[in-house]
Amino acid sequence: AQKITQTQPGMFVQEKEAVTLDCTYDTSDPSYGLFWYKQPSSGEMIFLIYQGSYDQQNATEGRYSLNFQKARKSANLVISASQLGDSAMYFCAMREVSSGANNLFFGTGTRLTVIP
Amino acid sequence: DTGVSQNPRHKITKRGQNVTFRCDPISEHNRLYWYRQTLGQGPEFLTYFQNEAQLEKSRLLSDRFSAERPKGSFSTLEIQRTEQGDSAMYLCASSGRKTGGQYFGPGTRLTVT
């Protein structure tokens, strides 16, 4: 089974509007971390936001917020006030902490296009 | 620039040749990771170092692949007898906290002809 599922291959959003990128995860590890990365056409993976499984509040970083719904195993990324520079691939990732593994499991990504 | 750096950025090689990539992590980070990303996919984990010790290796890391991190600073990833299926982006990342984000370099794009 896929550990990270991103069901939206592509999304479009009007400039200045908000957009939600979906991510669901699958793990039996009680302690895990969830990450979102942005990958522009240049190829570099840019770390955006992190949510720990025991964190009581949803993570926020500037215009990025993570809508963490533990019971549904979802960790959607919300980008507010979209900008043209937000056009990129977005990847959701997970690290299983209790297992001792250090690697991240990535989804297949969502390509976001911001329309002027 | 104090981010993760990787060299070369692009490499074209003929099938059967050996290639070596270098990664310089963020200086205060003791954890270093290698990932491979093929077109249309997310990165896939290859291997992990804590300081100079290689602690994890993925099943993706065949015996043609070897990684080192002498002295716990920069790391090299070597692919011997390259195959066309090795064509991919090879990404290096580093982290300094157990649960913190991994910071990625710009990647090395390998094309095997």
Side-chain angles (χ1 to χ4, degrees):
Chain A
Q2 292 292 323
K3 288 191 179 287
I4 295 289
T5 302
Q6 293 181 256
T7 57
Q8 305 156 317
M11 287 285 285
F12 292 86
V13 64
Q14 203 74 38
E15 193 178 5
K16 300 179 186 177
E17 297 293 311
V19 63
T20 297
L21 306 183
D22 294 342
C23 172
T24 57
Y25 58 92
D26 182 25
T27 183
S28 56
D29 194 325
S31 179
Y32 51 90
L34 297 158
F35 305 79
W36 276 93
Y37 285 84
K38 172 184 178 181
Q39 188 175 41
S41 55
S42 59
E44 186 168 356
M45 298 284 287
I46 302 168
F47 170 55
L48 295 179
I49 196 167
Y50 164 80
Q51 178 87 41
S53 58
Y54 291 117
D55 292 344
Q56 295 295 316
Q57 293 187 327
N58 287 345
T60 60
E61 288 287 347
R63 294 187 299 111
Y64 304 108
S65 60
L66 201 153
N67 184 1
F68 181 46
Q69 297 188 45
K70 196 169 183 177
R72 294 185 177 184
K73 293 191 174 180
S74 75
N76 298 340
L77 177 70
V78 180
I79 305 174
S80 62
S82 298
Q83 301 172 357
L84 295 178
D86 294 335
S87 293
M89 283 291 289
Y90 288 81
F91 290 95
C92 179
M94 176 178 66
R95 175 172 173 258
E96 295 171 320
V97 178
S98 298
S99 68
N102 291 277
N103 58 293
L104 294 175
F105 295 97
F106 284 85
T108 52
T110 296
R111 181 172 296 283
L112 177 66
T113 303
V114 180
I115 304 166
Chain B
D1 186 10
T2 57
V4 178
S5 61
Q6 292 187 246
N7 288 289
R9 295 291 307 275
H10 303 273
K11 179 72 178 177
I12 300 173
T13 191
K14 291 181 188 276
R15 188 178 56 183
Q17 297 294 305
N18 299 344
V19 294
T20 300
F21 311 140
R22 176 178 170 128
C23 170
D24 287 87
I26 293 170
S27 58
E28 61 266 30
H29 286 177
N30 63 340
R31 294 177 169 87
L32 186 146
Y33 315 79
W34 284 98
Y35 291 83
R36 181 174 71 185
Q37 185 178 23
T38 53
L39 204 60
Q41 300 295 319
E44 295 173 296
F45 171 73
L46 292 178
T47 190
Y48 158 69
F49 289 86
Q50 185 168 314
N51 301 311
E52 67 276 5
Q54 187 175 20
L55 298 183
E56 291 178 38
K57 289 198 289 187
S58 160
R59 286 171 295 176
L60 291 176
L61 212 67
S62 76
D63 55 6
R64 295 185 298 106
F65 288 69
S66 62
E68 295 182 342
R69 193 183 181 197
K71 303 177 184 176
S73 56
F74 71 91
S75 175
T76 57
L77 178 68
E78 181 184 16
I79 308 174
Q80 296 182 327
R81 305 180 303 281
T82 51
E83 301 173 355
Q84 287 187 320
D86 297 331
S87 294
M89 175 78 88
Y90 290 83
L91 294 163
C92 176
S94 69
S95 71
R97 290 170 51 224
K98 195 166 178 63
T99 57
Q102 296 179 13
Y103 294 85
F104 283 78
T108 295
R109 184 170 295 283
L110 172 68
T111 303
V112 181
T113 61

